Amino acid sequence: RDRRKILRKILNEFNHNISGVQLNELVSNTEGWSGSDLKSCGREAVMTPVRECLRRAAATRRKQRKQEQRDGDKACEEAANVSKNEGAHDVRNQLLNGLKSLRPVTLNDFQQAISFWLGRSHDGDDPIVPSDHYGSSSESEDEKLE
């Protein structure tokens, strides 16, 4: 019940399309998590659309650089410098527009954040225990290596 309230509060802070059924799934998958654990996971989930936007802008810039290199062989240096400035401006505008219109956060973003946060993949069947992330088992480091 408390996790549900905490997750609702976290979800209210950003644009998402997580349904009530999906919220129930998140609640059951985070049994034993603290509010701080949930908040950290929520921040990681929110970053997924931001990272996608950054990757698109970086890919566009790489394509432009390749084109500039091809054109640089043919054109004079002055024209190439003008092209570089225009290309960088286009990428900057693409990035700013992308950040203004980020897609909503999804349940999948949360599931990926949980897996990333814990440093492992998760099949969704068992509750996920955040203490696993910190290596809090009673085994010593030497026992783990054997």
Side-chain angles (χ1 to χ4, degrees):
R1 183 175 169 190
D2 290 335
R3 281 190 323 280
R4 175 181 300 286
K5 286 180 183 178
I6 293 168
L7 283 168
R8 274 194 186 138
K9 183 177 180 183
I10 292 168
L11 290 172
N12 285 335
E13 295 176 8
F14 53 84
N15 185 22
H16 68 87
N17 64 5
I18 295 174
S19 68
V21 171
Q22 292 171 326
L23 177 61
N24 290 340
E25 184 178 335
L26 275 175
V27 168
S28 75
N29 283 338
T30 56
E31 185 175 334
W33 287 39
S34 70
S36 177
D37 295 333
L38 294 171
K39 190 167 185 169
S40 294
C41 185
R43 276 194 303 261
E44 184 64 34
V46 168
M47 287 303 297
T48 302
V50 174
R51 288 186 188 107
E52 291 168 355
C53 181
L54 291 170
R55 276 191 220 104
R56 281 191 301 270
T60 299
R61 185 64 185 136
R62 280 192 300 274
K63 287 178 187 176
Q64 286 179 344
R65 284 186 179 150
K66 285 181 183 179
Q67 184 63 42
E68 289 167 1
Q69 287 173 347
R70 280 184 245 137
D71 292 347
D73 295 338
K74 302 172 190 172
C76 71
E77 195 171 309
E78 185 177 316
N81 286 336
V82 170
S83 176
K84 283 182 186 179
N85 289 336
E86 289 174 2
H89 184 69
D90 291 343
V91 172
R92 189 173 24 255
N93 284 338
Q94 175 191 353
L95 179 59
L96 291 173
N97 289 333
L99 290 172
K100 289 177 186 175
S101 60
L102 290 174
R103 69 166 177 78
V105 174
T106 65
L107 177 63
N108 187 49
D109 295 329
F110 265 91
Q111 291 169 335
Q112 288 177 356
I114 289 168
S115 295
F116 173 80
W117 195 61
L118 298 176
R120 63 184 171 94
S121 61
H122 177 65
D123 61 13
D125 293 334
D126 300 318
I128 305 166
V129 181
S131 60
D132 289 352
H133 175 66
Y134 299 108
S136 63
S137 75
S138 59
E139 292 179 278
S140 72
E141 289 300 314
D142 291 336
E143 292 172 332
K144 289 179 185 178
L145 294 174
E146 293 177 0

